[in-house]
Amino acid sequence: MSRWPSTIRVFLDRRMHCVGCPIAPFHTLVDAAEEHALLLAGLAADIELARLRDSQVSARHR
C-alpha cells in the first residue's frame, strides 16, 4: 500500500480493514481474501489494475 497507494481504495471499497490493521504486514493477499470471504482472483485483478495506474502516473512524472 505504501508503494502503490491507489491499492488502498481496493481494500476500502470491499470494507476490508487491512488499511491500518496491525496484523496486515504479516498477511498475504491469500490470507486477506480468505479472512474476508472474497475470491482471490477478483481481488488480485483489482489490485493489479490499481498498481498499474500508480505505475503509469509515476512514469509520467519522471
Side-chain angles (χ1 to χ4, degrees), residues 2-21:
S2 61
R3 189 168 180 190
W4 299 297
S6 66
T7 62
I8 293 170
R9 176 58 41 204
V10 175
F11 291 92
L12 295 177
D13 287 348
R14 286 167 179 72
R15 300 185 193 281
M16 297 172 78
H17 300 114
C18 300
V19 179
C21 175

Side-chain angles (χ1 to χ4, degrees), residues 29-47:
L29 200 53
V30 172
D31 296 332
E34 287 177 0
E35 183 70 26
H36 295 279
L38 298 172
L39 293 175
L40 177 61
L43 178 60
D46 288 347
I47 287 172

Side-chain angles (χ1 to χ4, degrees), residues 36-59:
H36 295 279
L38 298 172
L39 293 175
L40 177 61
L43 178 60
D46 288 347
I47 287 172
E48 181 64 12
L49 285 173
R51 186 193 68 77
L52 288 172
R53 280 193 301 271
D54 275 345
S55 295
Q56 290 169 348
V57 168
S58 199

